[in-house]
Amino acid sequence: MAVTIDDLPAVCTCKSEAWSELTAGLLSALQKRAVPAIGFVNEGKLFRRRGEVAPEKPDAARVELLERWLDAGHELGNHSFSHPDLHTTALAEFQQDVLRGETVTRRLLADREPAANATLRYFRHPYLRTGRTLETKRQFESFLAERGYRVAPVSIDNAEWIYARAFDVALDTDRAQLAREVSTAYLDYMIRQTEYFEGQSRKLLGRELRQVLLLHANRLNAAVLGDLLDRLAERGYRFVPLAEALEDEAYRRLDEYTGSAGISWLQRWAWAEGHRGDWFGGEPEVDGWVRELSGL
């Protein structure tokens, strides 16, 4: 399994002063278990905004958070500058946002060459939305290839972000016990979700592929990522870099999905083979009380 973490340096309702502790929590959990990861960066988050005007230079403290990921031996990828939606953004504008989203990261990596993790080679679509037409998808994929990128797919998709928002709400209102209850529900949900996509893989491919797990750089994962990794290891998973996971021949399948949802590549491949309706049934739902608490 490859562990991928979106929205670096951080995505939470907390003040940026707390981002350092959040980063430390994620990196500590990975280091203690010797788990390689790739973090996908939104470079727009590197700029401190005052009102509606963003400063010209990135904040040094926020850039340092990315350097800590590199210092720990992890890889960085491009997740765009401002996290736009390709389904609602003109292709040319979206491409410019991708270019803007690599400026700082490429500089950081250039300073570290020839380190093993000093190449910017993966792009992760915001919202996992990859284009509403095959023409748009193919044009954008060609643009990425010209820039040296490969699309970073996801096999285990999830609604982790809803649990993360509920966790933030609990912390922001000083309800520590409620935050613990959210984290417990989250861990159980993630195992159910993993089991579901293991089943989808067997149903579609006749085997389990090398899974790619989607997570985010939030306070919830900073608190319980270690527990989640331990539970996945108990299921028999070993953790590998994204490049090793993508050596699985399944990832050479074409993604021709043009629907509105941002979904797992397992579901995209199934859709391309003509599967509809009940084939996709049974995916675990977010706990109702968690969704209500999140306000989403």
Side-chain angles (χ1 to χ4, degrees):
M1 173 183 286
V3 176
T4 70
I5 302 179
D6 286 8
D7 293 354
L8 265 62
V11 53
C12 66
T13 60
C14 56
K15 295 180 179 180
S16 60
E17 289 75 13
W19 290 13
S20 178
E21 182 178 355
L22 185 157
T23 301
L26 293 170
L27 293 177
S28 176
L30 294 168
Q31 181 181 10
K32 288 179 180 178
R33 294 157 183 82
V35 173
I38 178 169
F40 286 93
V41 181
N42 292 136
E43 287 199 8
K45 295 177 181 291
L46 301 177
F47 294 79
R48 289 184 180 272
R49 286 173 168 75
R50 301 175 180 87
E52 296 299 319
V53 180
E56 294 182 0
K57 294 183 179 180
D59 181 78
R62 298 188 182 191
V63 174
E64 192 269 337
L65 297 178
L66 300 184
E67 296 197 75
R68 286 162 63 180
W69 282 87
L70 295 173
D71 289 342
H74 301 298
E75 190 170 357
L76 295 179
N78 189 339
H79 196 35
S80 79
F81 182 86
S82 63
H83 208 281
D85 184 346
L86 182 54
H87 289 184
T88 58
T89 305
L91 179 58
E93 181 182 348
F94 191 87
Q95 290 172 337
Q96 287 303 308
D97 199 87
V98 172
L99 295 176
R100 191 180 180 195
E102 67 180 25
T103 306
V104 176
T105 308
R106 283 198 185 277
R107 174 172 59 79
L108 294 179
L109 295 176
D111 291 341
R112 291 169 180 266
E113 293 179 346
N117 62 338
T119 303
L120 188 58
R121 52 181 176 166
Y122 294 107
F123 176 81
R124 167 69 50 77
H125 291 78
Y127 309 105
L128 300 185
R129 292 175 180 159
T130 58
R132 293 306 307 270
T133 68
L134 282 177
E135 181 182 8
T136 297
K137 285 172 66 70
R138 298 297 176 251
Q139 287 180 355
F140 182 63
E141 288 166 0
S142 294
F143 162 83
L144 290 177
E146 291 171 0
R147 297 292 299 172
Y149 289 109
R150 178 177 178 179
V151 171
V154 170
S155 64
I156 301 179
D157 188 22
N158 52 75
E160 163 247 43
W161 51 279
I162 298 177
Y163 286 85
R165 178 60 65 85
F167 189 78
D168 279 349
V169 169
L171 292 183
D172 292 343
T173 54
D174 297 319
R175 290 181 282 177
Q177 177 58 35
L178 182 59
R180 286 190 289 271
E181 292 171 0
V182 172
S183 64
T184 297
Y186 165 64
L187 291 170
D188 291 342
Y189 164 79
M190 289 297 287
I191 296 304
R192 294 196 303 271
Q193 198 75 355
T194 299
E195 291 172 343
Y196 172 77
F197 281 110
E198 289 169 353
Q200 292 291 92
S201 180
R202 291 191 296 270
K203 187 162 60 171
L204 180 67
L205 306 174
R207 62 181 178 86
E208 291 187 30
L209 83 168
R210 298 181 186 180
Q211 301 282 6
V212 177
L213 175 65
L214 171 62
L215 299 173
H216 292 82
N218 52 48
R219 284 191 286 183
L220 175 57
N221 282 319
V224 302
L225 176 58
D227 294 330
L228 176 59
L229 295 173
D230 290 344
R231 292 184 64 170
L232 291 170
E234 289 170 1
R235 291 189 65 78
Y237 284 102
R238 68 179 184 91
F239 301 99
V240 300
L242 179 59
E244 185 173 337
L246 297 186
E247 290 174 359
D248 190 312
E249 64 180 12
Y251 291 104
R252 292 199 288 270
R253 290 180 170 226
L254 288 178
D255 166 25
E256 296 186 337
Y257 175 75
T258 56
S260 60
I263 57 176
S264 161
W265 266 247
L266 280 166
Q267 294 169 323
R268 293 163 186 264
W269 300 329
W271 184 90
E273 290 189 4
H275 298 290
R276 298 290 187 273
D278 291 345
W279 199 95
F280 300 97
E283 185 170 351
E285 296 184 359
V286 173
D287 295 274
W289 66 270
V290 171
R291 184 180 292 276
E292 182 177 355
L293 176 62
S294 74
L296 298 172

